[in-house]
Amino acid sequence: MQVLTIKDILRATNGEIISKTGNSAGLEITGITIDSREVSEGVLFVPLKGERADGHDFVQSALEHGASAALTEKDMERVKGTLIRVKDTRRAMGEIARYYKKKYFVPSVAITGSVGKTTTKDMVYAVLSAHYNTLKTPNNFNNDIGVPLTIYGLKEEHEMAVIEMGMNHFGEIEYLAGIALPDAAIITNIGMSHIENLGSQEGIFRAKMEITKRFNEKNTLFVNGDDAFLKTVTGEAYRVVKYGLDSSNDVYAKDIENKGRSGVEFTVVYDGGEFRASVTQPGVHNVYNALAAVCAGLHFGVSVEECIKGLRECEYTSQRLEIIEHNGIEIINDCYNSSPDSIRAALKVLKGSSKSHKIAILGDVLEMGGFAEKAHFNVGTDAAKSGIDMLITVGKNAAYIAKGAKEAGFGNVREYASTEDAAADMAKLVNSGDSVLVKASHGMHFEKITGALKTL
């Protein structure tokens, strides 16, 4: 992080110093943390109220252990050190990040969508990094805490930033975009993730489009032009570039060659020519993510050769179609998150495995609300036709996957109520020579199943 002063913090948050040591306004802040155990000289401690603990309980300890200052939204007496009162510490994180981004400006790309955000982020980062010193959102830091923490990571040497944005309610993407102030944005697709809170896919579409609320003629939006909702986007105040597999898009892919677990090769066609590219991430659906990365790269002046190199050498976030070989078992570890569309994509990857016996272990897709039964049932119907040899379902919603598969004529189904029960039976179900897809929403803790498979 580059330097901010206490005066900057006050300006950003409209805060007030309620306790100080010496000339607090001139203090320099060189780091911001929400963890009191990570404080040191120059660090601003931001206490957040969580489900299990309130960071305000650790303010004095943070100051005693070296923090240069701390925020508070509560009245706090007898605190020794520099303490700044703000209306809301969580909001203050965003206000400081917005101020910091404006002060130390670098061009940035924001990424959102129902499926593929993180993989697209990895690819965009790889392409831009082939030309620029680039910062990207670490892990899954894509909410109102993670986005500010990402922005604080901008250093003097950075020339670009790639920022992932997630949401499950209206207004969240608009808020995050107002913090990150992106120059360009990517919307990967409109699926059914978080449909419980947003009411319909139309609602999800509106929520994702919030990323353009501050856009003008200087901004560009890249969208999946094959998506039923995104193909309708026409920018009035900003530029729109569409990508996909259909040749009607501004940038499209042709001559796709699926190489199974080795990835995908394809030809990119764009205004000005075409070139052959490849990604090592399995699944034809990743061509869409790669096209988004190419669009961003070309837009920001990355050469064709650098785009090719970036895609080829991209390193991916773990637990997303991660292929693990263990004692003759191929584990397709995709248990960080899930949606009906991403399950279907993962089943295609499983189908392409060279292993002779294919097992799909599928768990609940969460936050589906009243759509859960039908969506899971339809996944089961598709799973029955996907070429698998065994289906294992885990959870209340996933029981509808089992039902859909059975009604479609697929008989080899095992059902479990809990992840722990399924993990305990892995030795009975999986053998050397099997390919096993492990996929569910993060809240199902399917890493326990992956862990059990690794012990076989």
Side-chain angles (χ1 to χ4, degrees):
M1 181 178 179
Q2 299 182 71
V3 175
L4 291 176
T5 64
I6 293 297
K7 186 178 288 187
D8 288 325
I9 302 299
L10 295 173
R11 286 173 179 163
T13 63
N14 197 28
E16 175 189 6
I17 296 178
I18 59 174
S19 174
K20 64 181 181 179
T21 301
N23 180 23
S24 295
L27 280 175
E28 292 188 344
I29 299 300
T30 55
I32 298 177
T33 184
I34 60 175
D35 188 339
S36 62
R37 296 166 297 183
E38 296 179 352
V39 299
S40 59
E41 184 178 354
V43 169
L44 173 71
F45 173 58
V46 181
L48 301 178
K49 293 185 290 186
E51 295 180 3
R52 299 181 181 178
D54 186 343
H56 289 82
D57 296 336
F58 304 96
V59 167
Q60 186 60 68
S61 174
L63 292 168
E64 290 174 354
H65 284 83
S68 291
L71 300 187
T72 179
E73 62 186 55
K74 295 182 175 182
D75 293 324
M76 303 187 73
E77 299 179 357
R78 303 192 194 95
V79 171
K80 296 180 180 179
T82 299
L83 189 62
I84 301 171
R85 175 69 183 263
V86 296
K87 187 175 181 180
D88 183 315
T89 55
R90 194 162 179 145
R91 281 281 183 179
M93 286 190 67
E95 292 164 350
I96 296 168
R98 183 188 302 113
Y99 183 96
Y100 183 79
K101 180 72 161 33
K102 287 182 177 179
K103 183 171 183 176
Y104 298 110
F105 171 80
V106 298
S108 57
V109 182
I111 299 170
T112 192
S114 294
V115 180
K117 291 187 296 294
T118 301
T119 302
T120 300
K121 173 197 70 179
D122 292 337
M123 290 186 184
V124 172
Y125 170 78
V127 167
L128 293 178
S129 293
H131 189 88
Y132 301 103
N133 190 321
T134 306
L135 172 78
K136 73 169 177 176
T137 300
N139 300 318
N140 202 38
F141 280 31
N142 63 9
N143 64 5
D144 62 332
I145 297 174
V147 169
L149 289 174
T150 298
I151 292 171
Y152 300 152
L154 283 169
K155 299 179 180 179
E156 186 176 359
E157 62 265 27
H158 286 128
E159 301 169 300
M160 288 287 303
V162 181
I163 303 171
E164 181 181 339
M165 296 180 181
M167 62 93 200
N168 53 25
H169 289 86
F170 288 111
E172 289 181 273
I173 292 295
E174 182 177 3
Y175 174 70
L176 296 177
I179 293 172
L181 305 173
D183 301 273
I186 295 167
I187 305 179
T188 61
N189 46 55
I190 305 299
M192 297 185 71
S193 300
H194 313 300
I195 197 168
E196 177 180 15
N197 300 324
L198 296 163
S200 65
Q201 282 189 285
E202 289 80 2
I204 295 170
F205 174 55
R206 293 198 309 273
K208 297 298 184 184
M209 286 297 294
E210 290 174 4
I211 206 164
T212 65
K213 283 291 181 73
R214 294 170 180 261
F215 274 19
N216 57 37
E217 68 278 0
K218 296 180 181 179
N219 299 103
T220 300
L221 176 67
F222 304 105
V223 298
N224 178 347
D226 292 349
D227 182 275
F229 292 90
L230 294 174
K231 69 169 53 177
T232 67
V233 174
T234 54
E236 298 177 0
Y238 52 88
R239 180 177 176 231
V240 176
V241 175
K242 296 177 182 178
Y243 61 85
L245 306 188
D246 192 288
S247 60
S248 63
N249 290 295
D250 301 298
V251 178
Y252 65 93
K254 67 177 184 179
D255 302 331
I256 298 171
E257 184 179 355
N258 188 353
K259 293 183 171 295
R261 62 179 294 176
S262 297
V264 189
E265 286 189 9
F266 50 95
T267 297
V268 177
V269 183
Y270 68 106
D271 182 22
E274 61 181 59
F275 60 90
R276 195 72 177 163
S278 64
V279 294
T280 58
Q281 190 79 333
V284 172
H285 63 282
N286 279 303
V287 174
Y288 285 102
N289 303 329
L291 289 173
V294 168
C295 285
L298 294 176
H299 175 75
F300 285 104
V302 178
S303 70
V304 166
E305 292 74 20
E306 289 168 327
C307 288
I308 295 169
K309 180 177 184 291
L311 291 176
R312 184 177 62 245
E313 298 179 358
C314 180
E315 296 181 4
Y316 298 96
T317 304
S318 64
Q319 297 188 1
R320 289 171 170 83
L321 283 177
E322 175 187 23
I323 308 296
I324 303 169
E325 283 283 353
H326 176 76
N327 283 346
I329 301 170
E330 180 184 69
I331 305 168
I332 303 174
N333 183 32
D334 195 16
C335 62
Y336 194 87
N337 218 331
S338 188
S339 70
D341 288 337
S342 66
I343 291 175
R344 293 183 178 95
L347 285 169
K348 290 179 181 178
V349 174
L350 176 62
K351 181 179 180 179
S353 170
S354 61
K355 301 289 186 180
S356 59
H357 194 257
K358 301 174 178 63
I359 302 171
I361 307 177
L362 306 178
D364 289 354
V365 178
L366 304 178
E367 297 187 19
M368 296 291 292
F371 297 87
E373 180 177 347
K374 182 178 180 180
H376 284 81
F377 183 91
N378 290 341
V379 166
T381 301
D382 292 339
K385 305 170 185 176
S386 67
I388 61 175
D389 299 289
M390 179 188 292
L391 172 64
I392 300 170
T393 66
V394 183
K396 181 179 178 180
N397 289 338
Y400 294 113
I401 298 178
K403 183 178 180 181
K406 290 176 182 177
E407 292 192 13
F410 189 80
N412 195 7
V413 181
R414 306 287 190 277
E415 298 181 58
Y416 291 88
S418 73
T419 299
E420 290 76 14
D421 289 344
D425 271 5
M426 284 299 104
K428 302 176 185 178
L429 301 168
V430 178
N431 299 291
S432 179
D434 291 347
S435 180
V436 186
L437 169 65
V438 184
K439 187 160 182 64
S441 285
H442 191 59
M444 292 298 290
H445 301 290
F446 260 33
E447 67 273 8
K448 295 178 182 178
I449 292 178
T450 301
L453 290 170
K454 291 179 179 179
T455 66
L456 300 181

